[in-house]
Amino acid sequence: MTDGKIGDRVQCLGVVPRLGAEAEEKVILPGKPWEWWMPHGPVPPRHRPGRPDSPISPPFPDVAIASGRRMVPYLKAVKKASGGKTFTVFLKDPRIGASAADLIWMPRHDRFRADNVLVTDTGPHPLSEAAIAEAAKERPEAWERLPSPRLGLLIGNPVSGTRDEAAALRRFMAQIDHAKSEVGSIIVTQSRRTPEAVMTALRARLAGFPHWIWSPDEANPYRALLGYCDMLAVTGDSHNMVSEALSTGRPVFPLVPYALNPKLAGFLRRLEEAGQTRPFDGPLRPYGYDRVDATEEIAAAIRRGLAAHGRKG
């Protein structure tokens, strides 16, 4: 259950396949004024279990997974209406404490802790080794002509979080210049959050250097990039993209933006201290580490919790 935000949907849909079960996605929009009171407020009357058109009407599932503050009252309503039989899971900080769900996952940079809280540095995602390997087989032919080592560049919004976007863009371009001096070619994909000004400047900076930039008019080869490039560089503003890059086992070099909130800065620092990433402003060379897969950790915790829940029932 989510309200449709892509980051929340990606995390929930990432966990589901690891459980090996059938699932139904619920995108729920409570509307005003109800959403103003969430996560504390009740579900709207029209959405209460038992109403004919309610998105949380029975039959109730064995497991309900939700993310996003608007979904907290819905998750609690499912728990109550099922007579406690549904095992509930919430991804990220529910902002109302441990009572939000039977199991809560949150990234380490969020501070809330309780006995039913699972904490990991990286987050859940929908990628698997098999899916990435399969996608790499269908990579664009143009990539074959690019000299190695090939650096995959995953861009979120490297100029976010600052009023001085010009300075942030200059920093990002300096990072691109460093990459050009270290690798044979660069393969780029961007997200929905990437400003066009960033992409315009990047195209100009890479002119004459071996590169390939994804066009939104085509299917995004994001998974192929993860599986094919020799090394990966990720703008540090995206917790999800860094998590996905680390699941590949390939060398990951986060690009620290001009402005970065303390939570993400701490996240990137811990990864580097653990030897899972290397600083982007140093040599861009291959190195080894154990794949980081929080998705499987979360799925395993759900399986354990569901088993214990069944014994209590």
Side-chain angles (χ1 to χ4, degrees):
M1 297 186 292
T2 72
D3 64 5
K5 287 188 177 65
I6 186 64
D8 294 334
R9 290 187 65 242
V10 163
Q11 292 191 334
C12 289
L13 294 173
V15 172
V16 167
R18 305 295 183 96
L19 297 174
E22 294 295 324
E24 180 180 359
E25 181 181 5
K26 301 280 189 177
V27 175
I28 305 172
L29 299 174
K32 298 174 182 178
W34 308 100
E35 63 186 37
W36 298 343
W37 304 325
M38 295 177 176
H40 301 280
V43 301
R46 71 184 187 281
H47 286 172
R48 290 172 185 166
R51 293 295 182 91
D53 296 328
S54 170
I56 54 172
S57 60
F60 298 112
D62 296 318
V63 180
I65 304 174
S67 186
R69 67 176 180 84
R70 294 178 178 86
M71 295 301 103
V72 172
Y74 289 91
L75 196 62
K76 291 173 71 69
V78 169
K79 182 72 174 180
K80 182 178 180 179
S82 71
K85 293 181 179 180
T86 297
F87 184 77
T88 55
V89 180
F90 193 84
L91 304 181
K92 294 188 293 196
D93 189 347
R95 303 184 186 181
I96 66 165
S99 65
D102 293 309
L103 175 67
I104 299 169
W105 166 82
M106 63 180 60
R108 198 175 306 279
H109 56 251
D110 286 336
R111 296 182 178 179
F112 175 68
R113 301 290 184 269
D115 290 342
N116 63 331
V117 173
L118 171 67
V119 176
T120 63
D121 270 315
T122 60
H125 54 80
L127 305 181
S128 66
E129 285 187 275
I132 291 173
E134 189 62 30
K137 296 177 183 178
E138 304 299 324
R139 60 187 176 270
E141 291 184 7
W143 294 5
E144 302 287 346
R145 297 187 290 273
L146 294 174
S148 61
R150 303 175 182 91
L151 178 70
L153 177 59
L154 314 174
I155 305 175
N157 185 353
V159 300
S160 64
T162 179
R163 295 180 180 179
D164 193 347
E165 291 191 359
L169 186 57
R170 286 195 297 271
R171 176 183 174 85
F172 181 57
M173 290 300 105
Q175 291 171 322
I176 297 303
D177 288 342
H178 173 67
K180 289 167 60 178
S181 69
E182 291 284 323
V183 302
S185 59
I186 299 175
I187 298 174
V188 182
T189 185
Q190 67 269 31
S191 74
R192 295 180 179 88
R193 299 183 301 107
T194 310
E196 182 53 37
V198 169
M199 296 308 301
T200 298
L202 180 63
R203 293 184 193 101
R205 205 61 156 226
L206 290 178
F209 182 82
H211 72 281
W212 186 95
I213 299 178
W214 170 60
S215 168
D217 296 333
E218 305 169 350
N220 192 340
Y222 178 72
R223 296 186 180 191
L225 183 154
L226 292 176
Y228 180 71
C229 291
D230 302 296
M231 297 176 288
L232 301 171
V234 189
T235 56
D237 61 295
S238 175
H239 184 266
N240 279 356
M241 287 200 298
V242 174
S243 297
E244 290 169 353
L246 285 169
S247 75
T248 67
R250 294 180 181 275
V252 177
F253 301 88
L255 289 82
V256 179
Y258 180 78
L260 188 64
N261 73 58
K263 288 184 177 181
L264 284 175
F267 165 63
L268 296 180
R269 183 179 62 253
R270 287 190 299 275
L271 297 179
E272 185 175 327
E273 290 173 350
Q276 294 163 339
T277 65
R278 295 283 173 87
F280 185 85
D281 57 4
L284 302 183
R285 300 289 184 271
Y287 67 92
Y289 65 96
D290 292 332
R291 291 178 58 254
V292 183
D293 190 359
T295 315
E296 184 53 41
E297 288 188 57
I298 296 167
I302 293 173
R303 288 191 288 268
R304 291 192 301 269
L306 185 59
H309 188 69
R311 289 195 295 270
K312 291 177 183 177

